[in-house]
Amino acid sequence: MTDSGSDRATLSRIADEAAVSLSTVSKVLNGRAGVSDLTRARIEALLHEHGYNRRGTAQSSSLIEVVFGQLGTEWTLEIVRGVERVAREHGLSVVVTESGDRHAPAPDWIEGALERRPVGVVLVLSGLPEDSRQQLRVRNIPFVIIDPAGDPPPDVPAIGAANWSGGTLAARHLLELGHTRVAVIAGPSDMLMSRARLSGFRSALDAAGVAVPPEYVRVGDFTLESGVEHGAALLSLPEPPTAIFAESDLQALGVYEAARAAGVVIPDALSVIGFDDLPVAAWVGPPLTTVRQPTADMAEQATRLALRLRDTAAHEHLRIDLATQLVVRGSTAAPRA
């Protein structure tokens, strides 16, 4: 029997087991309306149970879809640039979607994705609900997560950065300069990457016998505004830090503004380290010392992996962390005597 005949036989069997017509199964498979939620869930479960996986690209568009919980920062632009480079190599276009939050896309995203039929999906989120993963897999729409905010299941391919190592790099640099009053503006505590950066930073300080007072640890949200807020709070302490590690470049730039408003000169009276190495980091005054995570490279790797998964006989269950590195510029110096 040909592949198409085998597929039809499988779908007929699924229709019989679900007690629905073949056209109803087709509606579910193609993401069309007109099927109740209960029936749709039953058919999706049977498709998964029978291992139905429509291979080939005949029904697919020429799109790679990138899904963000929130757009608008330089970091998101770097992700899009990386995806776009690979898409161009393969004659594909990129569609960018803003949906949900940093944890998962909105519930209605999957319906639109099934209608668009991208050749692959790159998600800048913590993960996908199990039912959404199942719906994408039975239609052979591979997906990969970039720099997941949480800890995705082992069957979800993900590309990230060595966040823990990046935190240790920042701490060691400040220690080598002679700083002992060191503060940190972390990212959201529910994001694995934030906790990893903070853990690495603390680990290096602990190894050197340098304590971090509770008031020196602030929790932000990776935005410039949170850098301004927490930078101002740290600089107003009776004994302010001589160095601040901001877990994103945007937060570091917020610290720049807080320091300017307080009349604190960088790096003479305050050293600042960021994390990301966005293009703007090299152009601010003074140029920002930062931990470089290869954001565009992560996006490229994720896109290539999604395209490779489409053509492999079995899904690769991968988690790849790319190396981080310290980029020393003009925002760090030895503390004043």
Side-chain angles (χ1 to χ4, degrees), residues 1 11 39 73 107 167 169 180 191 205 215 231 241 250 252 268-269 283 287 295 314-315 321 328:
M1 182 179 289
L11 294 179
T39 300
T73 67
L169 290 173
T180 56
M191 298 179 73
L205 292 175
E215 63 270 22
L250 291 178
D268 297 351
W283 297 101
T295 307
H315 285 277
D321 284 334
V328 179

Side-chain angles (χ1 to χ4, degrees), residues 267-323:
D268 297 351
L270 177 70
S271 289
V272 180
I273 297 185
F275 199 111
D276 284 327
D277 196 24
L278 300 176
V280 68
W283 297 101
V284 295
L288 177 65
T289 295
T290 188
V291 176
R292 181 180 186 269
Q293 67 169 344
T295 307
D297 292 345
M298 288 192 296
E300 285 192 33
Q301 291 252 18
T303 309
R304 294 188 194 282
L305 177 56
L307 295 175
R308 189 164 75 247
L309 288 173
R310 185 168 182 80
D311 297 324
T312 55
H315 285 277
E316 300 175 40
H317 300 159
L318 297 173
R319 171 64 196 255
I320 301 172
D321 284 334
L322 303 186

Side-chain angles (χ1 to χ4, degrees), residues 26-60:
S26 179
K27 283 182 180 180
V28 172
L29 190 59
N30 291 288
R32 294 199 296 268
V35 182
S36 71
D37 291 343
L38 186 61
T39 300
R40 185 181 298 276
R42 186 164 70 250
I43 293 172
E44 290 286 357
L46 287 167
L47 287 166
H48 183 68
E49 181 183 322
H50 283 274
Y52 185 86
N53 188 348
R54 177 181 285 180
R55 297 213 163 265
T57 59
Q59 290 82 25
S60 298

Side-chain angles (χ1 to χ4, degrees), residues 49-91:
E49 181 183 322
H50 283 274
Y52 185 86
N53 188 348
R54 177 181 285 180
R55 297 213 163 265
T57 59
Q59 290 82 25
S60 298
S61 66
S62 58
L63 299 174
I64 286 282
E65 182 160 356
V66 191
V67 186
F68 293 94
Q70 183 178 15
L71 285 167
T73 67
E74 183 69 23
W75 189 82
T76 62
L77 291 178
E78 284 295 291
I79 293 290
V80 173
R81 289 187 185 109
V83 175
E84 172 65 28
R85 282 201 286 265
V86 177
R88 197 181 309 121
E89 291 175 10
H90 293 267

